């Protein structure tokens, strides 16, 4: 799916290609484990993932890494707080596998906010969808077991999840690597 | 703070009272432990909290309750996923203390989305702010200890937090009541 197709689905627009959108789209590929937005960088872009998987990580005071989010195809992502506030990012974004993205210049979007009903509507709807995703993840954390969340993750993205290292999956689920091994063994038996 | 003052701060508008807004505001009070939006109700409203504190809870399969969020003055709240999708809510919202709220008819807001640049801009900015709050809470969960998060909670809302029962604070922090007692004892010693 391309940005214009996603927007048609979520916002009810009827664009027939990316070139009809009120902003330019640039395509880019990343290889596995490449950093897309660095710690302390000020985010300038919106990214739309068309292939592969991406993670957003934060680093703890002791230097260890926590995984805030996995992003899968047909989702927008960026270092959101940094983008909104134009402050250095405390989140780092990197590729979990080979990826393809469509890039939108975030500064152009901010310009369009002043007068464009369409641009405000699009970003309102996309932000509402992101907010729902985040709330759903929080509810899952509170109400589902690690095993249930592991199964959800694999059922929704079976191909990509095979490429993601086990230690990252454990960090995303908020469990120890040993607990993940136990879950996997239980599911196989 | 009233809705119009909050919107002036967040969205840069220059309203001088609630009656100038493009939607009606109704004021309402709730006593402690009153349900504002029930489980399975379809959310019709936006609420803006002017006094007191509110919680959003979800219930687990075993019947126990998890606290998804505490809401403090000068924040909007509602059963968001239910409102957006107009589906029965799996979140219940209730007052933690005596509260005062300003209520906006959510259906009127949905009507205004079609043509109103201002309405789309306002809700985009408010949703961006809610998304940032939620992301920040998630980052805090991953990177801060329960003691640090307990201190943050009390420092940001000292008066209201004194009214909130300890078992609810423990549920919000995602810890056992015994751990909360230990944190409190450690902080006092």
């Amino acid at each position: 799916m391309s940005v214009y197709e996603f927007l048609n689905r979520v916002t009810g627009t009827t664009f027939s290609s990316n070139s009809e959108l009120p902003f330019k789209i640039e395509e880019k590929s990343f290889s596995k484990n490449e950093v897309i937005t660095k710690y302390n960088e000020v985010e300038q872009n919106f990214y739309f993932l068309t292939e592969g998987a991406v993670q957003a990580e934060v680093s703890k005071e002791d230097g260890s890494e926590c995984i805030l989010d996995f992003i899968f195809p047909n989702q927008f992502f960026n270092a959101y707080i940094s983008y909104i506030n134009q402050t250095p990012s405390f989140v780092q974004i990197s590729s979990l596998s080979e990826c393809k993205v469509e890039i939108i210049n975030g500064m152009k979007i901010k310009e369009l906010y002043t007068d464009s009903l369409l641009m405000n509507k699009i970003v309102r709807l996309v932000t509402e969808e992101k907010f729902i995703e985040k709330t759903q993840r929080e509810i899952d954390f509170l109400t589902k077991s690690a095993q249930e969340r592991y199964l959800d993750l694999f059922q929704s993205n079976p191909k990509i999840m095979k490429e993601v290292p086990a230690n990252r999956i454990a960090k995303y689920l908020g469990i120890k690597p040993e607990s993940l091994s136990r879950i996997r063994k239980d599911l196989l038996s």
Side-chain angles (χ1 to χ4, degrees), chain A:
Chain A
M1 203 185 278
S2 259
V3 167
Y4 81 95
E5 292 167 292
F6 179 82
L7 293 182
N8 287 348
R9 189 178 66 73
V10 173
T11 75
T13 47
T14 53
F15 297 112
S16 54
S17 75
N18 275 345
S19 62
E20 283 186 9
L21 295 169
F23 41 79
K24 275 192 201 141
I25 303 262
E26 195 192 319
E27 290 179 26
K28 197 169 172 181
S29 298
F30 290 97
S31 40
K32 193 171 173 170
N33 294 326
E34 235 184 298
V35 175
I36 299 171
T37 302
K38 285 190 196 71
Y39 286 122
N40 293 317
E41 197 176 323
V42 178
E43 182 64 88
Q44 305 294 315
N45 297 319
F46 272 104
Y47 298 89
F48 183 76
L49 190 64
T50 56
E51 278 178 40
V54 160
Q55 71 168 18
E57 66 213 52
V58 281
S59 124
K60 292 174 76 162
E61 275 179 29
D62 65 6
S64 67
E65 169 205 59
C66 292
I67 295 179
L68 195 62
D69 222 345
F70 284 166
I71 297 109
F72 297 107
N74 307 327
Q75 289 188 302
F76 279 102
F77 68 93
N78 69 358
Y80 192 76
I81 299 181
S82 168
Y83 168 71
I84 295 289
N85 300 331
Q86 287 293 293
T87 48
S89 180
F90 45 84
V91 169
Q92 177 159 289
I93 298 179
S94 52
S95 55
L96 277 167
S97 66
E98 284 192 13
C99 294
K100 284 189 181 164
V101 299
E102 294 184 351
I103 307 179
I104 303 166
N105 180 329
M107 299 306 111
K108 178 67 186 166
I109 302 291
K110 288 202 178 199
E111 258 174 62
L112 288 168
Y113 285 155
T114 318
D115 301 314
S116 166
L117 171 64
L118 179 66
M119 202 62 242
N120 280 283
K121 206 181 271 192
I122 285 174
V123 179
R124 172 179 65 76
L125 286 160
V126 169
T127 311
E128 284 177 354
E129 173 138 323
K130 295 298 277 181
F131 186 79
I132 288 178
E133 276 168 21
K134 213 168 244 325
T135 305
Q136 194 55 58
R137 172 154 147 81
E138 201 177 8
I139 291 173
D140 288 352
F141 244 107
L142 289 168
T143 60
K144 291 185 177 177
S145 68
Q147 180 168 329
E148 286 174 295
R149 289 184 293 117
Y150 175 83
L151 281 172
D152 286 351
L153 194 59
F154 269 77
Q155 275 158 5
S156 58
N157 297 280
K159 258 199 203 159
I160 300 165
M161 287 312 298
K162 278 183 193 150
E163 292 187 46
V164 179
N167 66 335
R168 295 201 170 175
I169 296 174
K171 276 181 194 163
Y172 176 78
L173 294 174
I175 58 177
K176 300 220 165 89
E178 307 86 83
S179 311
L180 181 60
S181 306
R182 204 165 44 240
I183 286 173
R184 286 179 152 171
K185 213 182 280 170
D186 286 353
L187 288 172
L188 285 172
S189 68

